[in-house]
């Protein structure tokens, strides 16, 4: 969701597609319109070298079409990296529907949207995302089979958050091993920003391992209930950046890490679920590294959700999805090794590996 906030900050008036600063050699961008249902959507297919482009559909009340376009282009590119670094046979894509998810959506709109997806013949596969839910995907399923994130009763994987949280947990343990020599979280002080679907599962996992957990959230009622359930200590929203903790886990929105609050951090590790955690990774990735903080790249360690929906394509098996998410531990350690050897940030190392995988597949296919 924050990706949107970040985009708003840029406030680009650039309505062009090829000239958009976030256009990264996308293979295909499809604009979908249907007067009867009020559907206005953009499907962005970034890269299908490794497989069909899989990525969720976001429904959001964008301030402008330029904002929506920039958002979908950035997100779809991110999906290419996430799939490639996770070793999945998938490419990267994403879609956005213009509108307020609370007031503007109808099953007819999603059925019509499904027809557009169907017309791409499997090049793009959708799933739920911010503003869309399992029930919307059920409506999409009426028009196309190229949809995941379906309920368990329909052979789907249901809520992917527990698998996402497990992957983040494994990435966090890998970072702990790299930083302190042991991957045990027992006794570690961990600050978790945002205790929603993923955050709560992460609180549970790290608490079970004996960590001391600090939490914050804008939803005070929910925060209190999580605090009571897991004996986690509540901290103020802004205060989370000043805590004397070992690990900071951003699990709320993206782009929360900026020059000002990175200076305040006292942790040794950043490992969380939010997408695009740094406002500008080219600047803040280096800033974090220079401060001696080990950063577990977000798109690598939060890939559990993608792994979960990928599993649906082959016949859903949660045990298998969790096994696949467990591999995030080894991959994260490999990334840290490469980053050290090459004198680059872990984020740069992860992107480099993803790009090499795609380039290698292109060579084989050529
Ligand atoms: P969610 O909406 O269930 O939870 C987010 C929580 O953050 C909410 O409780 C919300 O109140 C809180 N929050 C919002 N703004 C905040 C702020 N400024 N400070 C503190 N708390 C704030 O979302 P989720 O599904 O748990 O996803 C969390 C993050 O992980 C998102 O960035 C999402 O894109 C990313 N992610 C989720 C999945 C998944 O499987 N759900 C997969 C990959 C990445």
């Amino acid at each position: 969701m924050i990706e949107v906030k970040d985009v708003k900050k840029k406030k680009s008036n650039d309505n062009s597609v090829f000239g958009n600063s976030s256009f990264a050699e996308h293979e295909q961008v499809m604009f979908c319109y249907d007067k009867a249902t009020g559907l206005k959507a953009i499907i962005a297919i970034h890269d299908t070298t490794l497989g069909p482009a899989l990525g969720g559909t976001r429904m959001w009340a964008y301030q402008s079409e330029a904002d929506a376009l920039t958002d979908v282009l950035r997100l779809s590119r991110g999906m290419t990296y996430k799939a490639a670094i996770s070793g999945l046979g998938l490419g990267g894509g994403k879609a956005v529907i213009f509108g307020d998810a609370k007031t503007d959506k109808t099953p007819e709109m999603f059925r019509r949207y499904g027809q557009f997806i169907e017309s791409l013949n499997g090049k793009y596969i959708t799933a739920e995302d911010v503003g869309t839910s399992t029930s919307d995907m059920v409506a999409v399923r009426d028009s196309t089979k190229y949809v995941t994130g379906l309920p368990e009763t329909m052979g789907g994987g249901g809520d992917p958050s527990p698998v996402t949280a497990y992957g983040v947990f494994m990435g966090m343990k890998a970072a702990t091993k790299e930083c302190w020599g042991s991957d045990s979280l027992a006794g570690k002080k961990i600050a978790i920003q945002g205790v929603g679907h993923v955050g709560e599962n992460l609180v549970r996992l790290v608490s079970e391992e004996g960590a001391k957990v600090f939490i914050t959230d804008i939803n005070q009622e929910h925060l209190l209930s999580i605090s009571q359930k897991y004996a986690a200590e509540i901290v103020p929203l802004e205060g989370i950046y000043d805590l004397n903790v070992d690990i900071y886990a951003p699990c709320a929105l993206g782009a929360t890490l900026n020059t000002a609050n990175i200076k305040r951090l006292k942790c040794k590790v950043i490992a969380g679920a939010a997408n695009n955690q740094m406002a500008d990774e080219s600047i803040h990735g280096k800033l974090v590294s220079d401060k001696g903080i080990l950063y577990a790249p977000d798109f690598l360690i939060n890939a559990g959700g993608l792994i979960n929906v990928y599993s649906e394509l082959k016949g859903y098996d949660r045990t298998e999805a969790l096994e696949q998410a467990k591999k995030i531990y080894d991959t994260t350690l490999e990334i840290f090794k490469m980053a050290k050897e090459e004198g680059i940030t872990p984020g740069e190392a992860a992107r480099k590996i993803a790009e090499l995988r795609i380039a290698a597949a292109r060579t084989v296919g050529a």
Side-chain angles (χ1 to χ4, degrees):
M1 197 189 306
I2 200 77
E3 295 89 342
V4 179
K5 197 171 135 199
D6 194 29
V7 168
K8 274 185 202 154
K9 258 189 248 150
K10 281 191 186 165
K11 261 283 165 217
S12 163
N13 288 322
D14 177 11
N15 278 305
S16 83
V17 179
F18 297 113
N20 187 295
S21 56
S22 298
F23 183 76
E25 301 179 349
H26 279 68
E27 283 177 22
Q28 192 172 353
V29 181
M30 184 184 194
F31 293 82
C32 316
Y33 175 68
D34 182 58
K35 193 175 175 184
T37 59
L39 173 74
K40 265 170 84 178
I42 309 174
I43 299 173
I45 296 171
H46 177 246
D47 193 294
T48 57
T49 309
L50 298 176
L54 197 156
T57 299
R58 177 166 296 194
M59 185 162 185
W60 191 255
Y62 290 99
Q63 286 199 335
S64 72
E65 290 178 10
D67 284 356
L69 179 62
T70 302
D71 201 26
V72 77
L73 291 174
R74 290 178 74 223
L75 290 166
S76 56
R77 181 175 184 236
M79 293 307 294
T80 298
Y81 283 110
K82 194 182 290 202
I85 195 67
S86 307
L88 304 176
L90 291 173
K94 199 92 180 179
V96 295
I97 294 180
F98 295 66
D100 186 328
K102 288 198 183 79
T103 52
D104 297 342
K105 62 163 82 156
T106 59
E108 292 71 34
M109 177 188 274
F110 281 90
R111 277 186 206 111
R112 183 70 187 96
Y113 172 59
Q115 290 172 358
F116 283 104
I117 295 174
E118 179 66 18
S119 74
L120 289 164
N121 287 319
K123 199 170 178 189
Y124 170 67
I125 303 169
T126 201
E128 59 187 278
D129 194 69
V130 175
T132 60
S133 63
T134 304
S135 57
D136 299 324
M137 294 308 118
V138 173
V140 171
R141 182 69 182 88
D142 287 342
S143 316
T144 182
K145 62 177 181 294
Y146 302 118
V147 53
T148 57
L150 293 166
E152 280 149 297
T153 48
M154 290 177 73
D159 178 12
S161 311
V163 183
T164 302
Y166 182 65
V168 172
F169 175 67
M170 294 316 293
M172 185 184 279
K173 281 176 76 64
T176 302
K177 167 103 176 146
E178 179 75 14
C179 201
W180 290 282
S182 153
D183 69 11
S184 170
L185 297 173
K188 289 278 176 291
K189 289 190 232 157
I190 304 177
I192 301 182
Q193 180 190 51
V195 285
H197 288 93
V198 182
E200 177 180 351
N201 279 291
L202 189 61
V203 172
R204 175 179 53 78
L205 289 165
V206 300
S207 301
E208 281 168 3
E209 210 173 292
K212 164 83 185 131
V213 189
F214 300 85
I215 55 172
T216 194
D217 199 294
I218 48 170
N219 183 336
Q220 290 300 312
E221 205 181 316
H222 183 60
L223 185 62
L224 193 61
S225 85
I226 300 297
S227 159
Q228 287 163 350
K229 197 166 165 188
Y230 303 99
E233 189 174 325
I234 293 177
V235 296
L237 283 173
E238 260 301 301
I240 194 129
Y241 300 111
D242 303 307
L243 288 183
N244 204 353
V245 291
D246 301 301
I247 300 168
Y248 171 54
C251 297
L253 307 175
T256 49
L257 286 169
N258 54 44
T259 307
N261 59 29
I262 287 170
K263 284 190 186 142
R264 290 158 55 190
L265 293 177
K266 298 185 181 70
C267 60
K268 285 278 168 226
V269 164
I270 297 174
N275 281 311
N276 303 329
Q277 288 161 21
M278 297 182 187
D280 183 338
E281 202 175 321
S282 61
I283 300 168
H284 303 121
K286 177 94 175 59
L287 204 61
V288 161
S289 277
D290 289 349
K291 219 173 136 53
I293 298 175
L294 187 63
Y295 170 63
D298 46 19
F299 67 90
L300 162 62
I301 72 167
N302 75 9
L306 181 64
I307 289 167
N308 200 60
V309 290
Y310 179 63
S311 169
E312 273 188 52
L313 298 176
K314 302 178 293 170
Y316 187 67
D317 181 340
R318 175 142 300 202
T319 311
E320 206 182 292
L322 287 167
E323 268 310 305
Q324 179 80 16
K326 196 175 183 182
K327 293 183 186 157
I328 288 174
Y329 181 93
D330 287 337
T331 312
T332 308
L333 285 176
E334 279 165 33
I335 295 298
F336 291 147
K337 185 165 177 277
M338 178 178 172
K340 243 187 338 204
E341 283 169 4
E342 300 196 11
I344 55 179
T345 67
E348 286 166 338
R351 275 190 295 280
K352 194 168 172 184
I353 290 193
E355 278 161 8
L356 286 172
R357 283 188 183 155
I358 295 165
R362 274 203 194 109
T363 313
V364 171

